[in-house]
Amino acid sequence: MIYKNEEFKITDEIIDIGYMAEDVDVEDVKDQELTIKKASPERTIQIFLSYPDFEDFKEEIIFFDDFINDSKVEINTYLFFNKKIELPKLKKLIPVFDVNNEFGEMYGTKIVSGSMENKLTKALFIIGKDGAIYHIDIPQDLEKPLDIERVRVELNKVYQSYTGVGCHG
């Protein structure tokens, strides 16, 4: 992977599409421990979004916050950083901090070399109502923004793919 002409590596294990998401323990902005479940208790779609820091990716994060805020359906969107940082008030993104390195290790987003070692790479995971991973976007070049049009398409697919009634409904 690359960012500003610096190459780096992420952890070898990356969770894949079709697998069940993993529960992760994090801290919220009030230093409270929180377990993010693989399937939200409200049976809503979830997005797990991570970045190395806020300042370098501020415009993209704020744009994504507006994008999710404009959604017609409820989507729990967690914004992961490797450690607690100061953030502005966001509309819909829920900032959390991977202080135990669970998210970085389980989802394969932990940077393991270079000047950003131990931070999280830019990544997006769309998780369906049932806890299955439907879409992953981990750009090789962090200066390239996430593909919002593709995210929009994938969110529509996920929304329509599971009714919650099972195969005998």
Side-chain angles (χ1 to χ4, degrees), residues 2 29 75:
I2 191 167
V29 294
I75 301 170

Side-chain angles (χ1 to χ4, degrees), residues 64-96:
F64 200 86
D65 190 36
D66 289 337
F67 169 74
I68 291 300
N69 190 51
D70 292 342
S71 175
K72 304 292 186 238
V73 297
E74 188 62 33
I75 301 170
N76 291 337
T77 305
Y78 295 95
L79 175 61
F80 287 81
F81 295 98
N82 69 306
K83 64 180 182 178
K84 186 161 186 184
I85 58 173
E86 291 297 318
L87 295 165
K89 179 113 174 85
L90 299 166
K91 296 172 186 168
K92 283 289 195 172
L93 300 183
I94 304 163
V96 293

Side-chain angles (χ1 to χ4, degrees), residues 9-126:
K9 294 183 189 305
I10 58 174
T11 190
D12 289 336
E13 296 295 319
I14 297 177
I15 203 162
D16 208 357
I17 293 171
Y19 284 88
M20 287 300 283
E22 298 282 344
D23 294 349
V24 286
D25 293 325
V26 295
E27 284 186 5
D28 66 14
V29 294
K30 296 179 181 175
D31 297 325
Q32 300 293 311
E33 287 191 22
L34 169 70
T35 299
I36 301 173
K37 298 288 192 180
K38 58 185 158 206
S40 81
E42 305 87 26
R43 304 297 278 175
T44 59
I45 297 168
Q46 298 187 105
I47 294 177
F48 293 175
L49 186 64
S50 66
Y51 284 92
D53 63 53
F54 180 76
E55 284 306 314
D56 287 349
F57 300 93
K58 181 185 333 188
E59 289 179 25
E60 186 173 350
I61 292 169
I62 290 170
F63 177 84
F64 200 86
D65 190 36
D66 289 337
F67 169 74
I68 291 300
N69 190 51
D70 292 342
S71 175
K72 304 292 186 238
V73 297
E74 188 62 33
I75 301 170
N76 291 337
T77 305
Y78 295 95
L79 175 61
F80 287 81
F81 295 98
N82 69 306
K83 64 180 182 178
K84 186 161 186 184
I85 58 173
E86 291 297 318
L87 295 165
K89 179 113 174 85
L90 299 166
K91 296 172 186 168
K92 283 289 195 172
L93 300 183
I94 304 163
V96 293
F97 308 103
D98 188 29
V99 296
N100 300 319
N101 294 311
E102 286 187 15
F103 178 77
E105 292 289 339
M106 287 192 276
Y107 284 80
T109 63
K110 183 178 180 180
I111 298 171
V112 296
S113 68
S115 64
M116 294 190 300
E117 187 173 3
N118 293 322
K119 292 186 176 188
L120 302 175
T121 194
K122 181 193 302 188
L124 176 139
F125 300 84
I126 297 176

